Amino acid sequence: MDNTNTRSTLLSPVTIHQWQLRNRIVMAPLTRGFADDREGTVTDEMVAYYEQRARDGVGLIITEGINPNLAGKGTYGIPGLYTDEQTTSWKRVTDAVHRHGGTIIAQLWHVGRLSHSDLIGTSPVAPSSLAAEGRVHKLHKPYQVPQAMSTQDIADTIQHFQMAARNAVLAGFDGIELHAAHGYLIDQFINEKTNHRTDKYGGDTAGRLRFLRDIIVAVKKEIPVDRISVRFSEKKDDDASYAWADKAGMIDAYLNLFRETGITILHPSTDQYTKAWEEEQSFHERIRSRWDGIIIGVGELDVQTAEHAIGKGSIDLAAFGRPFIANPDLVQRLHAGQQLVEYNANAHLPVLV
């Protein structure tokens, strides 16, 4: 395959509904912990961080996870979108990104049971009172037994997601992403191992997907549905051994939900984009075989793999994570055919206790 032609695919402009993207390169959501820890507001460091990548020419930026309420906070320095101060502070980021012709969406992220009372002042919440194994990120304390959410707690949390979507619009974001992956709150409802409820939010697959469905229906009232992306995954950050018992059935259940609610942009997450997931197909290829909408590819992608995947139609956009930490000028380097700086956690991440 001629490298010049394929590269122009990745670097050529594309229209995704209302978004006029300069290229098909996405900056993946990356938890950096740069926010004011007490207030959950955006700092100067964050404004500079996003502006630098927008100036470089990235097509779409998906923010780090942003909490829709305090209970959603999973570690230190996570920003929120539930106070006026937080909303106003994000305007600095969206203004900077737009000034450079960029597009940016806010990822709404509630960690559920993967939090700690030291962070949020109360017991973590979850669909069921089942503790996760492992330790809280950066806090290094074991996960606590969460409080099972009442029907009212669930209704309140859905309302918090809706308010966060409204605040995202007020802050100037071009869209939102719902983080329904990796074993966080929405995924805790979907996962039969973490959801033992017997009410309408538990039981069969449809019941376990109801929380996500209700959140989508709520946030659609605040932002056009064609500006909403949903991130979902089989993999769980706190349970490496987890796998869907019925892979095909789960994919179909998700895709049916997305079709019914009008979602058109998916961000399926996996560790390795190229890894065979079922039979010969990768996770993204399996979804593509059943889905005509937009797919954002992710999973240790390199440029050649991304170009090939876009070229054959498996994905529409390619998300890069660590390469964007190591290369704020990633897009310019690709345009110029320069080699990328290899990501190194010691060199590129601040030392945090």
Side-chain angles (χ1 to χ4, degrees), residues 157-262:
T157 303
I158 292 165
Q159 175 69 15
H160 294 150
F161 271 94
Q162 183 176 342
M163 286 300 298
R166 183 180 304 173
N167 288 338
V169 174
L170 291 172
F173 283 104
D174 300 296
I176 63 167
E177 176 165 284
L178 295 174
H179 195 337
H182 302 167
Y184 298 116
L185 182 65
I186 297 174
D187 204 13
Q188 287 159 29
F189 273 87
I190 299 168
N191 182 349
E192 73 286 352
K193 283 177 70 174
T194 51
N195 181 348
H196 291 181
R197 301 178 74 92
T198 54
D199 64 2
K200 67 178 184 177
Y201 288 101
D204 62 8
T205 306
R208 299 195 314 274
L209 280 165
R210 190 183 305 274
F211 184 56
L212 173 57
R213 175 189 293 274
D214 287 357
I215 290 172
I216 294 170
V217 169
V219 299
K220 278 199 308 184
K221 295 173 184 170
E222 307 297 335
I223 195 163
V225 71
D226 63 2
R227 294 172 181 243
I228 301 171
S229 164
V230 180
R231 187 169 220 206
F232 66 104
S233 67
E234 178 184 45
K235 75 184 190 88
K236 316 298 175 211
D237 284 358
D238 61 314
D239 184 357
S241 67
Y242 181 84
W244 289 327
D246 175 9
K247 290 180 184 291
M250 278 307 291
I251 291 288
D252 287 344
Y254 274 104
L255 298 186
N256 288 337
L257 167 58
F258 298 144
R259 289 186 194 101
E260 288 164 20
T261 52

Side-chain angles (χ1 to χ4, degrees), residues 20-338:
Q20 309 285 328
L21 306 184
R22 294 174 287 189
N23 49 59
R24 295 174 183 264
I25 297 172
V26 178
M27 178 175 162
L30 296 159
T31 301
R32 302 302 306 277
F34 289 167
D36 181 292
D37 185 61
R38 202 164 58 86
E39 302 297 334
T41 47
V42 168
T43 57
D44 292 345
E45 192 176 11
M46 288 168 69
V47 177
Y49 170 76
Y50 286 111
E51 181 170 15
Q52 190 175 16
R53 281 132 184 103
R55 186 190 301 121
D56 174 56
V58 62
L60 175 67
I61 294 173
I62 306 175
T63 67
E64 63 208 282
I66 305 174
N67 298 148
N69 58 22
L70 180 57
K73 181 178 178 178
T75 188
Y76 300 114
I78 304 301
L81 259 176
Y82 54 91
T83 70
D84 291 344
E85 293 74 23
Q86 291 165 353
T87 304
T88 303
S89 72
W90 274 111
K91 191 93 175 75
R92 297 172 59 208
V93 170
T94 61
D95 283 349
V97 169
H98 292 151
R99 196 161 54 240
H100 296 287
T103 302
I104 182 168
I105 66 175
Q107 189 194 71
L108 303 182
W109 177 45
H110 191 309
V111 304
R113 69 180 190 163
L114 301 184
S115 186
H116 195 279
S117 56
D118 285 6
L119 295 165
I120 60 177
T122 56
S123 295
V125 296
S128 302
S129 291
L130 301 163
E133 289 184 27
R135 293 176 179 270
V136 183
H137 185 49
K138 292 185 198 167
L139 187 65
H140 306 305
K141 290 187 178 182
Y143 289 114
Q144 297 166 314
V145 177
Q147 184 178 323
M149 294 168 76
S150 67
T151 310
Q152 188 59 52
D153 292 333
I154 291 172
D156 290 345
T157 303
I158 292 165
Q159 175 69 15
H160 294 150
F161 271 94
Q162 183 176 342
M163 286 300 298
R166 183 180 304 173
N167 288 338
V169 174
L170 291 172
F173 283 104
D174 300 296
I176 63 167
E177 176 165 284
L178 295 174
H179 195 337
H182 302 167
Y184 298 116
L185 182 65
I186 297 174
D187 204 13
Q188 287 159 29
F189 273 87
I190 299 168
N191 182 349
E192 73 286 352
K193 283 177 70 174
T194 51
N195 181 348
H196 291 181
R197 301 178 74 92
T198 54
D199 64 2
K200 67 178 184 177
Y201 288 101
D204 62 8
T205 306
R208 299 195 314 274
L209 280 165
R210 190 183 305 274
F211 184 56
L212 173 57
R213 175 189 293 274
D214 287 357
I215 290 172
I216 294 170
V217 169
V219 299
K220 278 199 308 184
K221 295 173 184 170
E222 307 297 335
I223 195 163
V225 71
D226 63 2
R227 294 172 181 243
I228 301 171
S229 164
V230 180
R231 187 169 220 206
F232 66 104
S233 67
E234 178 184 45
K235 75 184 190 88
K236 316 298 175 211
D237 284 358
D238 61 314
D239 184 357
S241 67
Y242 181 84
W244 289 327
D246 175 9
K247 290 180 184 291
M250 278 307 291
I251 291 288
D252 287 344
Y254 274 104
L255 298 186
N256 288 337
L257 167 58
F258 298 144
R259 289 186 194 101
E260 288 164 20
T261 52
I263 293 293
T264 57
I265 305 171
L266 305 184
H267 188 182
S269 181
T270 181
D271 282 330
Q272 286 287 338
Y273 176 85
T274 53
K275 191 175 170 187
W277 183 66
E278 193 177 22
E279 296 165 2
E280 301 293 301
Q281 289 182 310
S282 70
F283 189 51
H284 291 79
E285 287 169 345
R286 182 59 183 254
I287 292 164
R288 172 53 83 208
S289 69
R290 290 164 159 71
W291 178 256
D292 295 329
I294 303 300
I295 297 178
I296 302 171
V298 75
E300 298 288 337
L301 277 173
D302 59 38
V303 175
Q304 287 70 29
T305 306
E307 285 167 351
H308 182 65
I310 289 169
K312 71 177 190 174
S314 301
I315 59 175
D316 301 278
L317 304 171
F320 297 90
R322 290 170 177 170
F324 262 116
I325 298 177
N327 302 269
D329 58 346
L330 176 76
V331 176
Q332 293 310 316
R333 283 177 178 267
L334 296 184
H335 272 295
Q338 292 177 324

